[in-house]
């Protein structure tokens, strides 16, 4: 037996009992299990040597991704750089942006007009031809690895596109393939499902089933009608999807984002969300990854309330996902922007801070999807704030309808029945940069901020001030996000304050889906100005650069640092403390447009403002409107390295 075979066998033996137990419990099919094991072996054999070395390195350092240097950026390949090759040519820009993790938004084969931003995959083994080839992908991941950049991609496992080969065969009446989906002759069973299954896209794609006139069948489509839910009761589906996962892993992918994971198991009379079998499947996926390609991380997309998210980490003995999105914190952040009241956010951060430090969250201000108002309404109710009216307030606020709002953006899937709606917009637009820039550009010609800058000199001081304030809010929100435990991920363009892109309305394939408002093409002209701090892109980029570098260089930002919140006795000021091996930092964030004082009293020594380098006391700190401080405690001479708090 050669050495590499030994490596595989050792990993395989480590997991075999549990893997087999779970598989047989779910499927009771020995032959299919044997096929899975053989195929895993084949994928291991096919994995290239560089990746196998990476596997060993990461196996030896399983906490490799829990450091303070990880910074992610997500983008659609076409929007960012045209093609996969184009992305490769932009690696320098990514490095300059301090990014060492890129999330390539869905890029597998899909059909225009029926793609849901690429989340309707027609072929898991082919890249959309406009973007390049699988070879280009391999080339890109290798180039990224040279620069120590990790590559993340989506693995859309809940459904395939109706244009997938399986779906086509199913539609033509092939029973074998119909059994890979949920097909029904009439609406009797679908109706039972509809009684308990909520809707994901109540406006753009109502209902959970689609009638196929040619096949004379109903098919389950939780998302869009052209996204057919896969039936994971069928072991063929599970096996084939695992092969697709391993195929992609072998292209050099580091992080697999499991799309819409809570939805993958369906059961009559349930909500078809977060069922126990989902956890069995994710656990098996984790083991399969650890056997074939242990360099891989699993990132679960669970856009739900915290108590539903956390189980996807699994347990210490039986881990599931390596990382999960910190979605409630994200939504609560925007609630705080709209209310200038940090109390709910503080409470939410306390919940996260109490979780085991082994959990790694992805922190973000916004992503490619809408912002759903999943807040802790139980707590808000105690203040007399009702769910429906508050959602209405937030949506009004971020559309810019209320007096104190400078935000711009659009609603998403407004449901007339429940009164529910989610929200879309870029960070900059939601922070007021769009409004300020538009008002400055009196002629209304240019949205990119450059023009606005030239106009600043000409006059409207009020607007110029509004722009400065909006930039401060934008930067403060990033600085606050970087202070949280976990890995921050920026949506490409946010680092230069890119605004909403309304051009999607002119594209018939996109017009109905307002999420495209914040998925605009990267503005390379604006990115060309990042070194000029008199421009909007330059101002934002440089201020973010400063905090990103601090984060990267200071150990207090390690994922397993102690993190806690401190009362500031001002409703609008959030205070976060971090402590790691004798080092301590206090972050102060003013969520209001007024100057404030944080009534903290950290009298354990002198502090330094890490942005200006000035010495400061961490008590009674005055903070300008939308300002922030990173205050680092000076270590006494000859001081500690491992003292306790
Ligand atoms: C995920 C994606 C979203 C997509 C959905 C269906 O939630 O983030 O963009 O619409 O899955 O695949």
């Amino acid at each position: 037996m050669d050495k590499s075979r030994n490596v595989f066998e050792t990993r395989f033996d480590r997991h075999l009992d549990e893997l087999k137990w779970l598989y047989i419990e779910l499927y009771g099919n020995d032959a299919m299990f044997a096929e899975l094991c053989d195929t895993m072996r084949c994928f291991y054999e096919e994995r290239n040597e560089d990746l196998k070395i990476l596997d060993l390195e990461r196996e030896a350092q399983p906490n490799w991704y829990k450091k303070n240097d990880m910074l992610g950026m997500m983008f659609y390949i076409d929007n960012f750089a045209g093609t996969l090759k184009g992305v490769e040519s932009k690696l320098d820009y990514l490095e300059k942006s301090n990014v060492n993790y890129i999330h390539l938004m869905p890029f597998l084969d899909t059909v225009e007009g029926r793609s849901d931003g690429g989340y309707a995959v027609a072929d898991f083994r082919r890249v959309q031809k406009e973007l390049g080839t699988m070879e280009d992908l391999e080339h890109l991941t290798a180039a990224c690895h040279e620069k120590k950049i990790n590559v993340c991609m989506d693995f859309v496992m809940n459904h395939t596109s109706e244009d997938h080969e399986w779906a086509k065969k199913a539609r033509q009446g092939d029973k074998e393939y119909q059994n890979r989906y949920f097909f029904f002759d009439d609406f009797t069973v679908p109706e039972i499902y509809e009684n308990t299954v909520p809707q994901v896209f109540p406006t753009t794609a109502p209902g959970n089933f689609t009638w196929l006139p040619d096949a004379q069948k109903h098919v389950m489509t939780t998302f869009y009608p052209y996204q057919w839910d896969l039936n994971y009761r069928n072991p063929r589906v599970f096996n084939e999807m695992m092969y697709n996962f391993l195929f992609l892993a072998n292209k050099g992918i580091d992080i697999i984002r499991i799309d819409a994971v809570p939805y993958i198991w369906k059961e009559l009379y349930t909500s078809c969300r977060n069922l126990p079998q989902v956890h069995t499947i994710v656990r098996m996926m984790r083991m399969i990854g650890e056997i074939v390609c242990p360099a891989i991380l699993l990132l679960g997309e669970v856009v739900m309330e915290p108590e539903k998210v956390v189980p996807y980490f699994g347990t210490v003995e039986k881990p599931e996902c390596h990382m999960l999105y910190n979605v409630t914190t994200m939504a609560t952040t925007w609630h705080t922007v709209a209310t200038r009241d940090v109390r709910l956010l503080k409470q939410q951060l306390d919940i996260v801070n109490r979780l085991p430090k082994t959990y790694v969250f992805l922190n973000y201000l916004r992503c490619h999807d809408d912002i759903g108002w999943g807040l802790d309404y139980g707590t808000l109710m105690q203040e007399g704030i009702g769910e429906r009216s508050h959602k209405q307030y937030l949506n009004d606020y971020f559309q810019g309808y209320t007096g104190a709002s400078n935000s711009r953006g659009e609603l998403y899937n407004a449901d007339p029945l429940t009164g529910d709606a989610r929200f879309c917009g870029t960070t900059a637009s939601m922070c007021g940069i769009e409004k300020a820039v538009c008002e400055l550009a009196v002629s209304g010609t240019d949205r990119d901020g450059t023009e606005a800058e030239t106009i600043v000199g000409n006059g409207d001081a009020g607007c110029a001030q509004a722009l400065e304030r909006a930039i401060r809010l934008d930067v403060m929100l990033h600085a606050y996000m970087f202070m949280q435990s976990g890995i921050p991920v920026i949506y490409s363009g946010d680092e230069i304050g890119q605004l909403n892109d309304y051009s999607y309305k002119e594209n018939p394939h996109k017009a109905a889906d307002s999420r495209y408002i914040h998925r605009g093409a990267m503005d390379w002209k604006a990115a060309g100005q990042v070194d000029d701090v008199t421009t909007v892109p330059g101002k934002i980029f440089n201020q973010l650069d400063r905090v990103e570098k601090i984060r990267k260089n200071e150990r207090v930002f390690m994922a397993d640092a102690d993190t806690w919140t401190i009362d500031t006795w001002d409703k609008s000021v959030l205070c976060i403390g971090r402590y790691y091996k004798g080092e301590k930092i206090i972050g102060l964030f003013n969520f209001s447009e007024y100057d404030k004082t944080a009534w903290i009293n950290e009298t354990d020594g002198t502090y330094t403002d890490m942005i200006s380098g000035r010495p400061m006391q961490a008590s009674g700190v005055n903070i300008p409107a939308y300002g922030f401080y990173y205050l680092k405690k000076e270590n006494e001479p000859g001081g500690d390295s491992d003292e306790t708090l």
Side-chain angles (χ1 to χ4, degrees):
M1 202 186 276
D2 66 31
K3 195 163 146 253
S4 72
R5 204 171 148 68
N6 253 326
V7 171
F8 178 85
E9 295 305 333
T10 312
R11 291 177 185 150
F12 186 71
D13 289 348
R14 191 184 312 141
H15 290 302
L16 179 60
D17 281 351
E18 192 195 343
L19 185 58
K20 183 163 185 184
W21 173 269
L22 292 179
Y23 192 98
I24 300 300
E25 192 191 35
L26 201 60
Y27 296 124
N29 190 325
D30 288 299
M32 288 297 289
F33 183 68
E35 182 203 283
L36 174 70
C37 296
D38 289 346
T39 314
M40 276 160 55
R41 226 171 243 116
C42 295
F43 277 108
Y44 174 76
E45 299 298 335
E46 281 169 17
R47 194 160 166 81
N48 78 38
E49 285 312 312
D50 288 345
L51 295 177
K52 284 184 179 167
I53 293 171
L54 198 61
D55 288 336
L56 293 173
E57 282 170 13
R58 291 183 176 172
E59 244 178 346
Q61 283 203 318
N63 288 336
W64 64 270
Y65 60 100
K66 296 182 181 170
K67 305 237 175 65
N68 47 329
D69 63 341
M70 287 284 257
L71 176 62
M73 183 170 278
M74 58 192 296
F75 51 78
Y76 275 97
I77 295 167
D78 54 348
N79 282 340
F80 183 68
T83 60
L84 284 162
K85 284 205 171 84
V87 174
E88 209 174 316
S89 71
K90 299 288 187 198
L91 294 186
D92 289 347
Y93 175 77
L94 292 167
E95 279 189 309
K96 187 178 162 95
S97 310
N98 303 309
V99 165
N100 61 355
Y101 150 6
I102 54 173
H103 176 179
L104 305 173
M105 299 300 292
F107 55 81
L108 295 175
D109 196 24
T110 186
V111 172
E112 207 196 339
R114 297 197 294 272
S115 90
D116 182 24
Y119 285 96
V121 178
D123 187 341
F124 289 92
R125 305 211 179 182
R126 218 175 48 213
V127 172
Q128 287 165 36
K129 60 179 181 309
E130 307 74 36
L131 303 179
T133 62
M134 274 296 165
E135 288 70 47
D136 294 345
L137 176 65
E138 270 182 290
H139 204 271
L140 171 63
T141 57
C144 285
H145 289 162
E146 294 262 300
K147 291 183 177 288
K148 303 261 177 275
I149 296 176
N150 298 287
V151 182
C152 170
M153 77 173 285
D154 289 86
F155 185 55
V156 186
M157 67 185 285
N158 177 67
H159 44 260
T160 75
S161 143
E162 65 173 350
D163 299 283
H164 189 279
E165 180 202 339
W166 296 356
K168 285 185 186 155
K169 289 186 175 152
R171 198 191 269 275
Q172 283 155 11
D174 190 328
K175 287 271 173 300
E176 146 85 25
Y177 290 90
Q178 289 185 351
N179 288 338
R180 297 187 186 191
Y181 300 95
F182 295 88
F183 268 66
F184 302 97
D185 296 332
D186 58 42
F187 208 66
T188 320
V189 177
E191 193 159 27
I192 304 176
Y193 274 111
E194 290 289 21
N195 285 334
T196 53
V197 182
Q199 303 196 40
V200 181
F201 299 143
T203 318
T204 49
N208 289 293
F209 293 86
T210 299
W211 170 246
L212 306 174
D214 42 354
Q216 290 287 299
K217 303 265 186 204
H218 297 273
V219 64
M220 185 186 277
T221 53
T222 303
F223 292 85
Y224 279 109
Y226 50 78
Q227 290 166 307
W228 294 8
D229 288 72
L230 284 168
N231 183 358
Y232 279 90
R233 279 167 195 275
N234 181 344
R236 173 55 58 208
V237 168
F238 176 78
N239 280 25
E240 293 295 334
M241 290 304 283
M242 289 306 102
Y243 306 158
N244 287 332
F245 154 51
L246 296 175
F247 173 88
L248 295 165
N250 278 356
K251 300 295 161 206
I253 299 299
D254 301 277
I255 302 162
I256 292 274
R257 173 188 183 273
I258 321 175
D259 183 60
V261 60
Y263 301 78
I264 59 181
W265 191 271
K266 318 292 193 291
E267 196 89 52
L268 264 185
Y269 308 108
T270 73
S271 66
C272 295
R273 310 280 195 268
N274 305 301
L275 297 175
Q277 293 85 345
V278 176
H279 290 280
T280 304
I281 289 175
V282 179
R283 175 69 192 139
M284 289 199 286
M285 202 167 163
R286 170 80 178 240
M287 286 190 277
I288 292 168
E290 284 184 4
I291 295 170
V292 180
C293 45
I296 282 267
L297 299 178
L298 297 181
L299 161 63
E301 190 224 2
V302 187
V303 181
M304 303 201 162
E305 50 273 46
E307 55 275 23
K308 299 204 173 120
V309 173
V310 166
Y312 286 89
F313 282 118
T315 61
V316 177
E317 296 79 26
K318 298 181 179 182
E320 296 177 23
C321 294
H322 297 83
M323 308 188 291
L324 295 166
Y325 289 94
N326 201 351
V327 55
T328 305
T329 303
M330 183 276 292
T332 311
T333 300
W334 290 109
H335 151 92
T336 312
V337 170
T339 58
R340 278 73 161 166
D341 183 341
V342 302
R343 286 175 297 171
L344 193 68
L345 183 57
K346 180 176 180 311
Q347 183 176 308
Q348 166 61 20
L349 294 174
D350 290 342
I351 293 173
V352 176
N353 292 336
R354 276 196 298 270
L355 294 171
K357 286 183 198 158
T358 46
Y359 293 179
V360 176
F361 282 102
L362 280 204
N363 297 308
Y364 59 117
L365 292 173
R366 61 98 169 188
C367 65
H368 67 297
D369 279 331
D370 47 291
I371 299 172
W373 301 118
L375 307 173
D376 178 354
Y377 290 101
T379 297
L380 288 175
M381 262 319 264
Q382 291 163 15
E383 298 277 316
I385 298 175
E387 175 167 349
R388 192 165 172 158
S389 59
H390 192 54
K391 283 181 177 168
Q392 174 83 48
Y393 168 72
L394 293 171
N395 284 324
D396 285 350
Y397 181 89
F398 286 108
Q399 286 175 96
Y401 294 166
T402 68
S405 166
N406 296 310
S407 169
R408 291 287 178 269
E410 291 179 349
L411 297 189
Y412 179 68
N413 267 283
D415 184 342
L417 273 184
T418 59
D420 216 4
R422 285 113 77 176
F423 192 78
C424 298
T426 68
T427 304
S429 288
M430 290 178 75
C431 285
I433 297 180
E434 177 174 330
K435 180 174 178 236
V437 161
C438 289
E439 283 172 5
L440 275 171
V442 254
S443 58
T445 45
D446 198 336
R447 286 178 177 280
D448 78 357
T450 340
E451 192 84 344
E453 275 305 311
T454 45
I455 299 166
V456 173
N458 299 345
D460 193 337
C463 288
Q465 241 171 32
L467 180 59
E468 287 307 323
R469 196 169 51 220
I471 293 174
R472 274 214 304 281
L473 171 58
D474 184 303
V475 172
M476 182 278 286
L477 289 179
H478 282 91
Y480 138 79
M481 187 207 8
F482 294 145
M483 191 89 189
Q484 291 169 43
S485 282
I487 300 175
V489 179
I490 293 176
Y491 195 95
S492 140
D494 277 5
E495 78 284 11
I496 52 168
Q498 235 173 271
L499 307 181
N500 289 337
D501 176 1
Y502 297 88
S503 68
Y504 78 95
K505 292 177 196 289
E506 282 130 45
N507 180 337
H509 296 318
K510 297 181 175 169
D513 195 329
S514 51
R515 289 177 298 178
Y516 287 102
I517 197 176
H518 54 228
R519 297 176 181 172
M522 176 73 185
D523 183 347
W524 287 106
K525 188 176 145 227
Q529 298 169 331
V530 295
D531 293 322
D532 178 354
V533 291
T534 64
T535 64
V536 174
K539 281 182 186 159
I540 297 178
F541 190 91
N542 281 284
Q543 293 182 70
L544 295 191
D545 180 61
R546 185 90 187 87
V547 278
E548 285 157 6
K549 293 218 163 89
I550 291 174
R551 185 175 182 279
K552 199 155 111 180
N553 294 327
E554 296 288 335
R555 296 189 308 167
V556 278
F557 290 99
M558 294 288 279
D560 57 347
D562 288 328
T563 311
W564 67 101
T565 62
I566 298 168
D567 229 316
T568 64
W569 305 101
D570 186 299
K571 232 167 62 167
S572 304
V573 182
L574 180 73
C575 182
I576 303 176
R578 294 184 71 93
Y579 177 87
Y580 188 82
K581 298 198 173 163
E583 293 179 18
K584 181 177 166 192
I585 182 168
I586 298 287
L588 287 167
F589 308 94
N590 182 354
F591 277 77
S592 94
E593 63 273 61
Y594 300 105
D595 297 350
K596 294 278 180 174
T597 301
W599 298 107
I600 56 168
N601 200 16
E602 301 288 304
T603 49
D604 52 353
T606 49
Y607 284 75
T608 304
D609 166 16
M610 299 186 79
I611 305 292
S612 69
R614 272 188 309 132
M616 275 181 67
Q617 294 303 320
S619 49
V621 184
N622 296 324
I623 317 171
Y626 291 138
F628 75 96
Y629 282 116
Y630 277 4
L631 301 181
K632 188 181 178 193
K633 190 186 151 210
E634 286 307 312
N635 276 338
E636 282 85 48
D640 47 61
S641 66
D642 263 299
E643 62 157 28
T644 44
L645 266 177

